[in-house]
Amino acid sequence: SQTHEQPSHAVKGVPEVDAVVVGAGFSGLYLLHRLRGLGLRVQVFEKGDGVGGTWFWNRYPGARVDVKSMDYSFSFDSELEQEWEWTEKYPPQEELLRYVNHVADRFDLRRDIKFNTRVTEAVFDEDVERWHVRTDQGDQLSTRYVVMATGCLSASKVPEVPGLDLFRGRWFHTGHWPKEGVDFSGQRVAVVGTGSSGVQSIPLIAEQAVELTVFQRTPNFVVPAHNHPIDPDHQRSVKAEYDRHRQANRESGFGIAVPPATKGAFEATEEERQALWERAWYDRDNSLVTFLTGFTDMITSKEANDTAAQYVRDRIAEIVEDPETAAALQPHDHPFGTKRPCLGTNYYETYNLPHVRLVNVRKTPIVEITHHGLRTTQEDFEFDDLVFATGFDAMTGALTAIDIRGRGDVALKDKWHAGPRTYLGIQVAGFPNLFTITGPGSPSVLSNMMVSIEQHVEWVTDAIAAMEAEGLATMEPTVEAEDAWTAHVDEVGHMTLYPTADSWYMGSNVPGKPRVFMPYIGGVGPYRQKCDEVAANGYEGFVRR
Ligand code: FAD
């Protein structure tokens, strides 16, 4: 592999590489593969003791992806995509973890990954134009490039309720589930949180537990997953034209190609609207996407959106027998889709079981955790196990957890004190040669993330290849480009209903986090086009020296 001239004033005794990649989920693995392809010396650091990121950590009962396996997989290697056989429409965590491990083995990636190692610090040394990276294991490395593949949903959040240290039972967070699994048989269990992880795990925990109490702050819209084994003929037919299929995903709005809506909700008759929502609810293939894209104005018009929201609320009232529970499960405080909508299997049905109870902590907040359970403003609860399905400090949490300092010793978390600022979600002004994969300001969590991950990894590694070819030392956005992009992300976000919800997209689940709509809703296809144009125009908006 090609070697690089060592700067004469490099820090003595500190080993040097060309690129440090933080994280060994899908993003980090693909980065390593591509950067190696450029002949660079790469060091990956991963906190966990294996590859897989999200699918390494989230081993809770029912954990599975909500995007179809044929779409939620790598497309960069045609042999890989042809040889891997998926078994289910929405594969469970175990299958995804097997897939990630297969990718790591197939491309011989492990030898450049240091596991059980958390990156704690990355400081840019302006004199030598290199990053100085440190880990919790005492590693120190000097590198030209740092790529953060730290994940948008990897910094798990346990709510700040007093008393957790007093609790005598077992407690878990869904995002840090024990490898050996948890047996809830015969246990009285409490689950706090009813987002995607809660919705997936609650029905399965209810099957084991003798008593299950679910503490809900905000009800979410849950539509049926209709998961099923993949029909082998279907798998063959997609694989036969995989290139076309993938290309359509890349050009789509959410990274999943669906026929575009042709009219607004009120250009349709009441019967047509009902028929569409009915079809979406029972659609074995695309229920969620049909809900999100059924009419052109679903995410821009509250009235249009309400027609879908009301349809789902009606289904909840139909399924859930106890009227008070049904009412508590019906979302009224946010439009459909503006918080991550959930796919469920027997979710609402679970509340009809005699040993399952829903507690609305919006009405009766949790006051404290006790030795034997927890106390709300109204009642004392006793249980053996406590499960937090309370999500993540999304999009920025894993980045601001690292002490990242750019030019002038400015800390990234200080620069972002009023919300993240990026150019294209890829780079930050004042932080040369530091790249973020699916960073804030890119479509990221509003998309089929495999499509967004591949696009970012390819764009970033192409940008690095161009720098290498041109013999450039640094690349970073101008403040003007960053300001304009950040304003654009905000403006496009505010053309939709998304900012009206208190969601993790808005940072609302983390006390004190600025309320900013972090992902870019302009669409995966148009965003890719913009990134390609920027590159074609000599990396417009970036200073390259
Ligand atoms: P991750 O998989 O999060 O990997 C990041 C890695 O970085 C982690 O292994 C972490 O340990 C490591 N890391 C972080 N900080 C450090 C540090 N300082 N030092 C060392 N290592 C560090 N996406 C979809 O598109 N569709 C879905 O249906 C979907 N479902 C999801 C369900 C759950 C429960 C969760 C949590 C996420 C889901 N996602 C889904 C999003 C998912 O995160 C992405 O699809 C994808 O797996 C992200 O890959 P990644 O490599 O970018 O990040």
Side-chain angles (χ1 to χ4, degrees):
S1 76
Q2 156 193 355
T3 51
H4 292 273
E5 229 175 82
Q6 310 288 317
S8 55
H9 37 345
V11 184
K12 235 188 159 154
V14 175
E16 303 203 343
V17 291
D18 299 312
V20 164
V21 170
V22 189
F26 284 123
S27 302
L29 294 180
Y30 186 32
L31 273 164
L32 172 56
H33 178 62
R34 295 269 305 193
L35 289 168
R36 258 193 203 163
L38 301 179
L40 301 183
R41 291 163 305 163
V42 188
Q43 177 65 58
V44 181
F45 290 111
E46 167 55 55
K47 214 161 40 169
D49 67 7
V51 297
T54 287
W55 308 109
F56 172 88
W57 295 108
N58 289 263
R59 298 164 191 253
Y60 60 84
R64 60 179 71 242
V65 66
D66 282 354
V67 171
K68 286 191 275 184
S69 51
M70 302 296 294
D71 299 306
Y72 187 80
S73 46
F74 279 128
S75 73
F76 69 83
D77 186 284
S78 69
E79 278 176 23
L80 169 68
E81 71 179 1
Q82 290 295 332
E83 79 195 1
W84 185 266
E85 293 286 324
W86 294 104
T87 66
E88 293 182 52
K89 179 173 84 162
Y90 298 130
Q93 171 270 331
E94 301 88 332
E95 186 167 341
L96 289 158
L97 191 58
R98 268 202 309 282
Y99 174 72
V100 193
N101 276 284
H102 170 73
V103 171
D105 292 336
R106 195 181 197 293
F107 299 99
D108 185 24
L109 299 175
R110 284 175 220 281
R111 64 186 157 87
D112 289 326
I113 307 173
K114 187 164 184 228
F115 293 104
N116 296 308
T117 306
R118 186 167 58 85
V119 169
T120 52
E121 192 183 294
V123 177
F124 187 66
D125 183 336
E126 293 188 63
D127 293 337
V128 293
E129 295 187 315
R130 295 182 73 91
W131 286 88
H132 196 94
V133 174
R134 287 173 199 264
T135 76
D136 67 347
Q137 299 301 309
D139 304 277
Q140 288 195 48
L141 272 185
S142 164
T143 176
R144 293 184 57 210
Y145 306 104
V146 176
V147 193
M148 293 296 173
T150 41
C152 292
L153 300 169
S154 60
S156 49
K157 272 305 287 174
V158 174
E160 290 160 22
V161 189
L164 186 54
D165 51 325
L166 301 175
F167 183 59
R168 293 207 189 111
R170 305 180 293 179
W171 72 269
F172 311 94
H173 187 285
T174 49
H176 264 102
W177 205 257
K179 268 192 186 162
E180 61 283 8
V182 180
D183 184 5
F184 291 110
S185 308
Q187 300 292 98
R188 297 167 304 168
V189 184
V191 174
V192 177
T194 53
S196 292
S197 304
V199 165
Q200 289 184 331
S201 59
I202 283 164
L204 293 170
I205 295 175
E207 281 179 14
Q208 287 193 329
V210 288
E211 208 178 283
L212 173 64
T213 313
V214 177
F215 294 88
Q216 170 192 275
R217 189 172 57 181
T218 319
N220 275 294
F221 291 98
V222 182
V223 303
H226 301 298
N227 188 35
H228 53 78
I230 289 196
D231 170 6
D233 285 341
H234 171 71
Q235 181 145 209
R236 261 192 302 279
S237 71
V238 173
K239 284 184 176 177
E241 39 134 37
Y242 230 157
D243 284 351
R244 196 201 54 76
H245 185 92
R246 301 286 201 182
Q247 190 54 28
N249 282 349
R250 291 181 195 119
E251 290 167 7
S252 69
F254 290 104
I256 302 165
V258 282
T262 52
K263 50 177 149 181
F266 294 101
E267 292 171 72
T269 64
E270 168 70 20
E271 290 71 36
E272 284 172 323
R273 279 194 299 274
Q274 280 306 104
L276 177 68
W277 302 139
E278 190 90 355
R279 187 152 55 73
W281 184 262
Y282 293 104
D283 187 341
R284 261 168 59 85
D285 285 325
N286 280 317
S287 49
L288 188 53
V289 188
T290 309
F291 269 111
L292 287 171
T293 60
F295 291 111
T296 51
D297 46 1
M298 258 303 278
I299 59 165
T300 51
S301 154
K302 175 81 168 65
E303 292 69 31
N305 188 289
D306 265 345
T307 67
Q310 190 54 44
Y311 178 88
V312 177
R313 285 192 290 263
D314 290 346
R315 296 289 74 70
I316 298 169
E318 214 170 63
I319 299 167
V320 180
E321 287 156 11
D322 172 50
E324 202 185 323
T325 305
L329 287 165
Q330 290 174 325
H332 285 280
D333 70 343
H334 66 280
F336 184 96
T338 55
K339 286 165 76 89
R340 177 71 155 77
C342 307
L343 290 185
T345 301
N346 294 328
Y347 178 66
Y348 292 124
E349 289 81 351
T350 296
Y351 293 97
N352 292 334
L353 299 172
H355 66 295
V356 178
R357 176 177 169 196
L358 181 74
V359 176
N360 182 351
V361 297
R362 181 79 72 199
K363 266 194 183 157
T364 57
I366 297 173
V367 176
E368 61 177 349
I369 302 196
T370 61
H371 292 296
H372 52 265
L374 66 76
R375 185 161 33 242
T376 67
T377 48
Q378 197 174 48
E379 206 175 325
D380 233 330
F381 291 86
E382 283 192 17
F383 41 79
D384 308 302
D385 296 330
L386 172 55
V387 174
F388 291 108
T390 43
F392 304 89
D393 181 350
M395 303 203 74
T396 54
L399 294 168
T400 54
I402 305 171
D403 185 9
I404 302 175
R405 278 177 278 143
R407 289 193 192 282
D409 211 33
V410 171
L412 184 69
K413 62 173 173 297
D414 291 339
K415 168 150 182 169
W416 284 2
H417 75 278
R421 308 186 68 76
T422 70
Y423 182 36
L424 302 171
I426 294 176
Q427 272 210 300
V428 182
F431 296 77
N433 295 4
L434 177 93
F435 300 89
T436 51
I437 301 302
T438 65
S442 74
S444 184
V445 290
L446 289 180
S447 68
N448 167 3
M449 288 200 68
M450 290 300 273
V451 174
S452 292
I453 287 170
E454 283 193 328
Q455 186 257 338
H456 261 195
V457 169
E458 286 161 13
W459 195 95
V460 167
T461 50
D462 285 351
I464 290 176
M467 287 174 66
E468 295 286 305
E470 293 169 52
L472 300 176
T474 59
M475 166 171 183
E476 65 198 290
T478 64
V479 173
E480 294 72 31
E482 180 180 89
D483 285 350
W485 183 255
T486 304
H488 174 64
V489 170
D490 192 58
E491 187 189 350
V492 178
H494 279 87
M495 287 160 68
T496 73
L497 299 168
Y498 280 96
T500 65
D502 283 331
S503 63
W504 54 257
Y505 300 135
M506 295 293 296
S508 307
N509 63 327
V510 178
K513 194 166 171 173
R515 210 174 174 286
V516 172
F517 185 61
M518 295 181 287
Y520 179 55
I521 184 66
V524 161
Y527 170 80
R528 171 187 299 267
Q529 215 171 13
K530 166 76 182 169
C531 291
D532 289 348
E533 277 165 22
V534 164
N537 293 336
Y539 291 94
E540 202 173 12
F542 290 94
V543 179
R544 298 160 78 240
R545 289 189 297 105

